[in-house]
Amino acid sequence: MHLRTHTDEKPFVCEVCTKAFSLKSSLDRHLRTHTKEKPFACDVCAKRFSEKSDLKKHFRRHTKEKPFTCELCNKAFIRKSDFERHSRIHTKEKRFACDVCTKRFSEKSDLKRHLLTHTKEKPFSCDVCTKAFSQKSYLKSHLVTHMNEKPYACDICNKTFSWLKCLKSHLRAHTEKEPIGLQQHLESTFTDSYEEATESMPHLL
């Protein structure tokens, strides 16, 4: 079986999409993407997974085990992928390059978002007014206008806003002499009301 990795022989073919694999175990794993089968269940919360490795990673959330530790700052992580993503903060590595403008990114997700600026694609649509957006975060911010929610509250005068940028602008009237603490102040003002509002309209998210 190991020799197939050198010969590129792939005798196991998916009957659904014709994708071929060198190992039967790889085919079996692939088939679950079609069947949506999730044979691996968590003993603690009963959540199910299609891959045993995913169950193993999930289980660490219950045990609080964090086996991946950064040697530079000692921050620990449950998943190796999170650890590797964190490591790039220290190394400044940007391995994902845009084929159009050669701009580089440390995260693949950032590259995907950037590519939308070239394609003008807007895959996230509002179910209420059909307005489309290039990023999911933009859609979530837009949905607030339909909910009449104002989740950003000024903890100085209690005035509320639908948009963080509006609150930020408003807060400058109170904090013009303390710009350094403004960001920390903003973070403390984001209440749970936005989450409550979006949970009440899950079909929009």
Side-chain angles (χ1 to χ4, degrees), residues 2 6 29 35 76 86 91 130 146 170 195:
H2 169 73
H6 300 293
R29 189 161 51 247
T35 64
H86 166 81
T91 63
T130 70
H146 295 301
H170 165 80
E195 292 182 3

Side-chain angles (χ1 to χ4, degrees), residues 145-194:
T145 63
H146 295 301
M147 299 175 202
N148 293 320
E149 280 292 324
K150 294 183 177 181
Y152 300 97
C154 174
D155 57 7
I156 299 174
C157 67
N158 296 321
K159 190 171 182 178
T160 57
F161 302 86
S162 297
W163 308 95
L164 179 58
K165 63 182 179 181
C166 293
L167 171 60
K168 186 175 180 179
S169 177
H170 165 80
L171 280 171
R172 289 198 180 99
H174 296 301
T175 59
E176 282 181 347
K177 295 182 180 180
E178 300 178 89
I180 295 175
L182 181 57
Q183 185 59 40
Q184 184 178 358
H185 176 75
L186 284 171
E187 292 173 358
S188 69
T189 61
F190 185 27
T191 65
D192 293 333
S193 57
Y194 175 77

Side-chain angles (χ1 to χ4, degrees), residues 18-100:
T18 69
K19 189 171 183 179
F21 301 87
S22 57
L23 300 174
K24 187 177 185 298
S25 58
S26 298
L27 171 61
D28 292 339
R29 189 161 51 247
H30 165 78
L31 283 171
R32 290 196 285 271
T33 65
H34 296 299
T35 64
K36 308 301 180 185
E37 179 189 4
K38 295 182 178 181
F40 305 101
C42 174
D43 294 334
V44 179
C45 67
K47 189 172 183 179
R48 304 188 70 87
F49 300 86
S50 58
E51 300 295 331
K52 190 173 183 179
S53 59
D54 291 336
L55 170 60
K56 186 177 180 180
K57 285 182 283 191
H58 162 80
F59 197 71
R60 293 188 188 126
R61 295 189 180 279
H62 297 299
T63 63
K64 308 300 183 185
E65 179 191 3
K66 294 183 177 181
F68 305 101
T69 304
C70 176
E71 294 180 355
L72 295 175
C73 67
N74 294 321
K75 190 170 183 179
F77 300 87
I78 292 173
R79 297 183 300 182
K80 186 178 180 180
S81 59
D82 292 336
F83 163 67
E84 290 174 342
R85 187 180 303 113
H86 166 81
S87 294
R88 289 195 286 272
I89 295 174
H90 297 298
T91 63
K92 310 297 183 184
E93 179 189 6
K94 294 183 178 181
R95 57 178 180 168
F96 303 102
C98 174
D99 294 333
V100 180

Side-chain angles (χ1 to χ4, degrees), residues 126-131 133 142 146:
C126 174
D127 290 338
V128 179
C129 68
T130 70
K131 190 171 183 180
F133 302 86
H142 165 78
H146 295 301

